């Protein structure tokens, strides 16, 4: 059934000053990539349509039913992925899109039980397993004849991996490891797919052999019978319970009571335990960084998916929604015309482009550095690690704030789950905590900054920290200019000054007698701020460089629009950070007033293209899954239709009227 | 079953420097009030225990089951309220506690179906109904022999009440009103308890009589049969569907197809329609402000309840949780010892006291001004309205941010629904939108500021805007001082300057040819900022005045702690607003460094009392309902016990293994 497009939305599209498809191509990377994406989406949506009925939307289901439907859907989607794998259609480039993009943020609305099988279980076997182990496990994992997950976090330990309590003790008599979780706090807790889905699991545990602890290592443990799916002896396992989001992911707990596994179930590519129990150390302890950074880059791309969804929903809704008659005799105003609304939304559109560019850069750098690491060159690892840490932290925190801003911008209707905004927030905010808690990550970046600053004069400056050297040069001219470049320079000075100030503060505190650890702790609020400033300077510069190139290559209609978005992003963040600019650059109060006016003018310039800009993200209705954001703008119709699907509305009178309400009203309860 | 207190938590309590009960008394207001509160809590918890079993926690239920359990619980709680009413135990003072405090934020975790019956339906009859109507409706409402709600918002209209489309057309032939919702957008949407619970409803509609529209008025409409509960003819009604929170509230929609009601069902205390259709206007259109303001004050108190819950949970958890070995050979650190964690949590404790004091002030002022209004004196109405608007907006926005900050401070475990933090956020963020969307409310305050500023020289300055006159005096000495008073003065100058700057900007834009409406819109981002600055100046001053008095009356142990919290609040917000201070006061970069160090010292001073400070909020475990925040600190035990209650864990193997997972793994799907 084709419906008419809401006329307000149609008018927006008619008035858009550029070719929407051109922008979509830029976002995807090339016309071929757009075509591939569309085919991929179509293909997976078709597989999904063979799955469970969605006559009752999942938000009406119980926790158990959400799991069951999620599993059902996932089987049909991963059937397709398996098919693609068999056909050789999966490769490093589309793998990221399929696993990261489509799965974790689009088709399976509330996450997938099989996510960790692909993102952690298989990669861990590849990275940490020997050739022999690849033979044994990888083929079975690849065809999904076993399903695995990765269990590191425990009830009592997340950030502090060294503190994990699960033990794997080698028994040379039987040539087995004995896996044990000796305390409640050592129970594994959180792994996706662990509760009721996986039958295998990589368990991270403290390795004990020859009476010595050798720190954490990874072990493959079968946890359920392959035929009956019953938990194996000594294995206590289940779902950890209802969460803010991701309720279809089957996060689980796992307790192991002296469970024995063959020696060959320890992943032995790097470190090994010989038959007699001799421990052979890994050559390099930093080789694992690669996998961790890969996951963080995938997270940044994920954020991009969520943010584009949220701004698409909120912008289209704001074009359809009319509220308040501002001028006598005129119709009510599209809320998109209110500057306060533009202030809420347009930064989200700009930020999506900034994220896209940062994520692409990070992805390229990661691949470069990975190649260098393969060749034994670890020089750029610390810089890349520091960059991935702060980008993960800032992109997740910013996206969470922007998604919530979009939701609130939709007023009451944004509170409806059918808007898809609350669910989107639930998924995004989770990323602020998993794969490195944001504050912890920013402190990692700060540690890198402190080390770099200590030797700034002599250090070989790598691309993302070159500015520290330049701006701290005594001859550097610190001036203010109302332009993107001016703001970048300002942000670089701010980051440099916050870095140097934190460094000095640390030094002063240590000289006054504090230990290094205590001085670090006392200064940590400022260190976090320094790491954030560093990240913003790097992101803005990357966004600037790439956009100038994109705009130059674009049509004369689109080019200026791309630059407007960049300028808006720069002006917005400059206004957010005027405190820093006032402290560390020669910006004046009048400059700030000008900046504010510039920002307001940019909002006005972007306004007519707002709908076109979100259309260009090209998110299909069946991926967007929002009553407020659908392409046709039938907002009120969809809200009403969705409500009709609530099982509560299937009967005119709910049973509890007879059971409780009527007796209560009659005073008989 | 009594469990031992977690030793880390016990040590915190042993080391607290003040008497926790003394602070509880201050928070409650007097020893008698503490006693009353405890009795009230006990009494309602006993009623609730007669209600539904909670063996399966509500987060595992489906949308329909959540409604059913919520209704069941509510019947048992409101049975007790009805009993209290009959016994004459309900009065204006405890009414607020019972309806606002206990119900909307404590006992009924996800809201109550009967909330609007008490907060809107009955008060509307009292305020808008004639004596005769009181006789007819109030007694039945009072005994709950009818259950009502209040339907104003429509699918297409929330903020703009004048734009409501529902009509009530008087038919003098039959002496009836014909209620009609002519379009989909005119369907009533959102009222709590409307979907499946209420059988009566106050409908706000455009009154038509004698061929003329007289604007919106309120009408009592019976919507369901009192005996069968079936929707009456012409009434289309149901639940609006799943939401981010408040899923037990039964928010509903309502369409009326030419439904006829007797003339006497229009609430006629103020305006009337005579038998022949003659319309008699109300004497005063502003009399309704009182009810609206009452609701907003209740919201501020609600925020206080939610915030104290969140900081209690996060602070106790942070004392129990240990993570990372910072110094060799020492145990892992309580995360409460990390300054970044203190930075996340302690502002929440301070903000709770600031909110408590602001809410109490607003409550007192509201009562004062209400008395004046009763006597026909409307002089202070605009000021009070402006104050209630911005306090509602800032208190809900701040609380939402702080609750989320607490949740994120609990890491992954804060993402568990059993922590009660996600649900708390869902309830708080709803308040950013309902009863006046926050941006709209801040613009109302800004409008008052602009009007005041226009006549600042001659205006009679009322208490909350006296500072505008003082700080704008040419002889005023604008100086910076690192103290609470210094910050208050700084904030006052900032608010004055933002007000005057917005005013000038409006003037400039109008002189350049923009209409007043367009100039307003172009300046609205700055107007919102001015209103926020005004609110922060007023709140901080109120917090300061009351705390100085409380500290002076408190014991020598407690007094200084109260002042530390005040100083922390002032320093935190000064650091958040250094941009404004740098622009409008003579504060320097060095002053800001000093401010930062002061703030860090305050965190360190408050640290040893943190647990005592949240204990003093005295929230019972069965009201707190949190695995992470319980008094005994059995965090991990409770997390594990809660997971065991998930119905998904009732069976070792879920049915979907046989249906989908096994066939999928075998490649047979």
């Amino acid at each position: 059934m084709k419906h008419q497009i809401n006329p307000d939305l149609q008018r927006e599209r008619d008035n858009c000053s550029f070719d929407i498809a051109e922008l979509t191509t830029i976002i995807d990377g090339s016309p071929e990539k757009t075509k591939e994406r569309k085919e991929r989406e179509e293909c997976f949506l078709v597989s999904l349509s063979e799955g469970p009925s969605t006559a009752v939307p999942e938000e009406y289901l119980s926790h158990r039913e959400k799991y069951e439907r999620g599993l059902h859907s996932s089987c049909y989607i991963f059937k397709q992925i398996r098919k693609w794998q068999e056909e050789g259609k999966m490769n490093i480039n589309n793998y990221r899109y399929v696993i990261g993009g489509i799965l974790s943020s689009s088709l399976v609305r509330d996450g997938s039980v099989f996510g960790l099988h692909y993102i952690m279980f298989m990669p861990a076997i590849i990275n940490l397993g020997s050739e022999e182990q690849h033979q044994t496990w990888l083929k079975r994992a690849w065809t999904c004849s076993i399903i695995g997950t990765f269990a590191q976090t425990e009830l009592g330990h997340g950030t502090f991996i060294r503190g994990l309590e699960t033990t794997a003790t080698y028994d040379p008599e039987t040539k087995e490891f004995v896996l044990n979780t000796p305390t409640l706090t050592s129970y594994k807790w959180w792994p996706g797919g662990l509760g009721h889905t996986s039958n295998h699991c990589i368990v991270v545990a403290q390795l004990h052999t020859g009476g010595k602890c050798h720190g954490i290592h990874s072990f493959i443990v079968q946890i359920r019978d392959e035929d009956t799916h019953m938990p194996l002896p000594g294995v206590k396992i289940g779902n950890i319970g209802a969460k803010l989001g991701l309720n279809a992911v089957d996060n689980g707990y796992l307790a192991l009571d002296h469970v024995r596994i063959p020696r060959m179930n320890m992943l032995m590519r790097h470190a090994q335990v010989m038959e007699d129990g001799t421990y052979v150390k890994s050559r390099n302890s930093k080789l694992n960084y690669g996998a961790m950074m890969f996951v963080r880059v995938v997270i940044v791309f994920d954020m991009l998916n969520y943010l584009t969804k949220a701004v698409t929903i909120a912008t289209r809704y704001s074009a359809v929604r009319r509220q308040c008659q501002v001028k006598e005799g005129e119709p009510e105003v599209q809320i998109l015309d209110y500057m306060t609304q533009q202030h809420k939304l347009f930064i989200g559109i700009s930020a999506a482009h900034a994220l896209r560019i940062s994520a692409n850069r990070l992805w390229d750098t990661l691949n470069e550095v990975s190649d260098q690491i393969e060749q034994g060159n670890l020089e750029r690892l610390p810089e890349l690690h520091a960059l991935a840490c702060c980008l993960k932290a800032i992109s997740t925190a910013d996206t969470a704030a922007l998604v919530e801003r979009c939701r609130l911008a939709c007023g009451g209707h944004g509170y409806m789950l059918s808007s898809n905004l609350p669910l989107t927030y639930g998924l995004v905010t989770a990323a602020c905590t998993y794969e490195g808690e944001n504050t912890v990550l920013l402190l990692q970046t700060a540690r890198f900054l402190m080390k770099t600053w200590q030797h700034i004069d002599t250090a070989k400056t790598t691309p993302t920290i070159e500015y520290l050297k330049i701006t701290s040069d005594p001859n550097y001219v610190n001036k203010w200019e109302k332009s993107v470049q001016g703001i970048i320079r300002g942000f670089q000075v701010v980051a440099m000054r916050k870095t140097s100030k934190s460094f000095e503060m640390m030094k002063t505190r240590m000289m006054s007698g504090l230990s290094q650890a205590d001085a670090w702790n006392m200064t940590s609020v400022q260190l976090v701020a320094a790491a954030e400033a560093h990240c913003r300077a790097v992101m803005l510069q990357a966004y600037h460089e790439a956009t100038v190139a994109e705009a130059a290559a674009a049509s004369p209609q689109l080019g200026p629009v791309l630059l407007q978005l960049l300028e808006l992003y720069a002006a917005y963040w400059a206004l957010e950070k005027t405190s820093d600019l006032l402290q560390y650059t020669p910006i004046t109060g009048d400059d700030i007033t000008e900046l504010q006016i510039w920002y307001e003018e940019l909002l006005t310039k972007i306004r007519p293209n707002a709908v076109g800009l979100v259309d260009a993200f090209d998110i299909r209705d069946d991926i967007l899954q929002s009553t407020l954001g659908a392409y046709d703008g039938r907002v009120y119709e969809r809200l009403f239709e969705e409500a009709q699907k609530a099982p509560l509305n299937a009967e005119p009178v709910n049973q509890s009227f007879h059971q409780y309400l009527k007796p209560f009203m009659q005073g008989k309860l």
Side-chain angles (χ1 to χ4, degrees), chain A residues 312-489:
Chain A
T312 301
I313 295 166
T315 304
R316 286 182 183 159
Y317 174 71
S318 300
V320 172
R321 177 76 168 180
R322 288 177 172 273
Q323 201 76 183
C324 291
Q325 194 184 30
V326 170
K327 288 170 195 165
E328 204 62 48
E330 290 189 11
E332 290 185 56
V333 177
Q334 287 172 286
I335 61 173
L336 193 54
D337 283 331
Y338 292 114
M339 186 158 279
T340 47
Q341 189 76 354
Q342 297 163 9
H343 176 55
K344 289 173 190 173
L345 301 180
F346 297 171
I347 180 61
I349 302 177
S350 287
H353 288 277
L355 269 186
R356 167 175 68 83
I357 284 162
S358 306
N360 280 325
R361 282 253 170 151
L362 192 57
W363 178 253
D364 293 343
T365 314
L366 180 68
N367 287 328
E368 258 173 57
V369 176
S370 295
D371 288 349
Q372 293 172 4
I373 293 177
E374 288 279 307
Q375 292 152 22
N377 176 0
L378 301 181
E379 199 177 59
R380 289 189 64 194
L381 193 61
E383 179 202 8
L384 181 62
H385 174 245
L387 185 63
C389 284
C390 68
L391 265 180
K392 184 273 184 184
I394 296 299
S395 68
T396 54
D398 281 3
T399 303
L402 289 166
V403 167
E404 202 54 355
R405 195 174 168 112
C406 285
R407 183 183 66 73
L408 287 162
C410 294
H413 294 331
Y415 198 73
M416 302 296 305
L417 292 190
S418 72
S419 72
N420 204 11
L421 290 167
L423 198 65
T424 303
Y425 179 69
L427 297 170
V428 170
T429 189
C432 294
T433 305
Y434 63 58
E435 294 300 328
E437 194 277 331
N438 280 355
T439 303
V440 173
L441 290 186
L442 288 171
L443 285 171
Q444 300 254 343
T445 304
R447 207 171 283 278
F448 168 77
L449 289 174
M450 290 303 105
K451 276 190 195 162
T452 305
W453 188 254
Q454 189 162 19
H455 305 291
I456 189 71
D457 298 329
T458 56
K460 202 168 144 185
T461 47
T462 42
T464 63
I465 50 163
E466 204 187 353
Y467 76 86
L468 286 177
K469 207 162 192 166
I470 296 172
T471 53
S472 62
D473 186 297
N475 296 318
Y476 180 77
V477 184
N478 183 6
K479 62 179 203 287
W480 170 252
E481 188 191 281
K482 196 195 80 183
S483 69
V484 177
Q485 279 114 317
I487 294 169
I488 291 170
R489 282 194 297 268

Side-chain angles (χ1 to χ4, degrees), chain A residues 553-567:
Chain A
S555 68
Q557 290 77 40
L558 180 57
V561 178
L562 294 176
L563 293 173
Q564 283 163 13
L565 290 176
L566 168 68
E567 288 175 13

Side-chain angles (χ1 to χ4, degrees), chain A residues 75 89 135 175 218 222 262 264 301 305 320 340 359 371 395 410 423 455 508-509 588 595 611 658:
Chain A
C75 285
K89 277 199 205 166
Q135 288 299 325
K175 304 192 176 63
S218 299
Q222 183 176 346
M264 283 311 295
F301 279 108
N305 287 328
V320 172
T340 47
D371 288 349
S395 68
C410 294
L423 198 65
H455 305 291
T508 309
R509 283 178 169 151
T588 66
L595 199 57
V611 168
H658 302 289

Side-chain angles (χ1 to χ4, degrees), chain A residues 617-638:
Chain A
F617 294 129
D618 198 26
I619 306 171
R620 292 172 59 136
D621 280 352
D622 37 17
I623 286 180
L624 199 61
Q625 298 178 44
S626 168
T627 45
L628 306 186
Y631 188 83
D632 62 13
R634 291 175 63 251
V635 167
Y636 300 117
E637 293 85 344
R638 281 176 204 272

Side-chain angles (χ1 to χ4, degrees), chain A residues 651-658:
Chain A
E651 297 160 327
V653 176
N654 182 272
Q655 53 169 357
S656 54
F657 169 72
H658 302 289

